[in-house]
């Protein structure tokens, strides 16, 4: 398996699993919480068939990457992404981040710049800032909600994953995917380490990406479902598009949070159309 060593913990290497498919301009797909690179299956096929190189990887503690106790903060997540780009010697790359992965795109650009980046895509992303504070009343996650997530994960991680994957693909209370597809997503979530799963709500919920978005200087696509029950459009997509100069916004009607799966054809058309320009 292709593995990249990005550090060490307790005397053992920390390794990220990654896959490179196809040839052409590189597109790095960054998964959401608590999934893995396999959540991009519908995009990998479409990208390769359109003449692009699709690169997926599992963040620390997810999929086939090393389960770690530390390293789930966004500075480390961005550093790991930078290590992957350097390792593969990628330039003129498009970074595509779904949900919590959108935060990785934002923090990468905010911390490492755009010397290697041609374009950016924020899909159902947690940007610009989800935490409800006095300075951010528009945020969608208050301390009580984050604590509720953490309590659910601690009490019954498998039950939480089942409920979350239902919500991920629900629009107006109705599932937008088949039950086998939902169960596939649940299996990806259950493969995540307990620590990575538990660390997620605090990391994506309380990280302020607003200063990172100010540093975007590449063409950016913001794509979101108008029926997202996890990261609502008015909390995230609308605000992120407004914060990035010249950002293109695509709003998918009836789209839940997991639009890259539930509305894959529309998602892929928007993504590839953006890449082709």
């Amino acid at each position: 398996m292709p593995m990249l060593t990005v550090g060490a913990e307790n005397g053992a290497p920390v390794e990220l699993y990654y896959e490179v498919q196809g040839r052409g301009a590189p597109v790095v797909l960054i998964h959401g919480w608590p999934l893995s690179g396999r959540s991009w299956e519908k995009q990998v096929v479409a990208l390769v068939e359109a003449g692009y190189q699709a690169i997926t990887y599992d963040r620390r503690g997810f999929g086939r990457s090393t389960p770690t106790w530390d390293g789930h903060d966004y500075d480390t997540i961005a550093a790991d992404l930078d290590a992957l780009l350097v390792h593969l010697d990628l330039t003129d790359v498009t970074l595509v981040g779904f949900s919590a992965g959108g935060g990785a795109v934002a923090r990468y650009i905010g911390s490492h710049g755009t010397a290697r980046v041609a374009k950016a895509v924020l899909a159902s992303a947690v940007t610009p800032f989800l935490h409800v504070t006095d300075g951010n009343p528009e945020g969608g996650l208050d301390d009580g909600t984050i604590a509720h997530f953490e309590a659910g994960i601690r009490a019954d991680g498998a039950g939480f994953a089942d409920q979350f994957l239902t919500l991920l693909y629900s629009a107006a209370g109705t599932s937008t995917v088949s039950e086998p597809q939902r169960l596939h997503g649940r299996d990806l979530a259950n493969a995540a380490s307990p620590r990575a799963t538990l660390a997620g709500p605090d990391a994506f919920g309380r990280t302020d990406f607003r200063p990172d978005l100010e540093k975007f200087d590449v063409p950016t696509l913001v794509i979101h479902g108008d029926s997202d029950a996890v990261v609502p459009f008015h909390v995230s997509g609308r605000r992120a598009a407004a914060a990035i100069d010249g950002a293109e916004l695509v709003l998918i009607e009836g789209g839940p949070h997991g639009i890259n799966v539930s509305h894959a054809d529309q998602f892929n058309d928007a993504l590839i159309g953006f890449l082709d320009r």
Side-chain angles (χ1 to χ4, degrees), residues 75-140:
D75 288 340
T76 303
I77 290 169
D80 286 351
L81 174 56
D82 183 59
L84 178 69
L85 301 188
V86 171
H87 175 71
L88 296 176
D89 193 23
L90 297 178
T91 56
D92 293 323
V93 65
T94 296
L95 298 178
V96 183
F98 168 72
S99 192
V105 174
R107 183 52 51 90
Y108 176 86
I109 291 176
S111 299
H112 299 272
T114 55
R116 293 181 177 272
V117 180
K119 297 182 178 183
V121 180
L122 301 175
S124 305
V126 298
T127 50
F129 188 23
L130 293 185
H131 193 206
V132 177
T133 65
D134 290 341
N136 188 50
E138 308 97 330

Side-chain angles (χ1 to χ4, degrees), residues 43-87:
Q43 283 64 58
V44 169
V45 173
L47 287 168
V48 173
E49 289 180 346
Y52 291 93
Q53 183 178 76
I55 298 145
T56 59
Y57 73 103
D58 299 338
R59 294 195 291 109
R60 297 185 187 209
F62 300 96
R64 285 177 273 190
S65 292
T66 304
T68 60
W69 190 260
D70 297 318
H72 304 296
D73 61 284
Y74 273 93
D75 288 340
T76 303
I77 290 169
D80 286 351
L81 174 56
D82 183 59
L84 178 69
L85 301 188
V86 171
H87 175 71

Side-chain angles (χ1 to χ4, degrees), residues 35 52 58-59 81 85 101 106 118 120 128 145 161 167 178 183-185 197 200 202 204 210 226 236 244:
L35 305 172
Y52 291 93
D58 299 338
R59 294 195 291 109
L81 174 56
L85 301 188
T145 303
L167 188 63
S178 69
L183 292 175
H184 174 60
T197 302
D202 179 70
F204 66 70
R210 291 175 296 183
D226 68 359
S236 173
I244 300 170

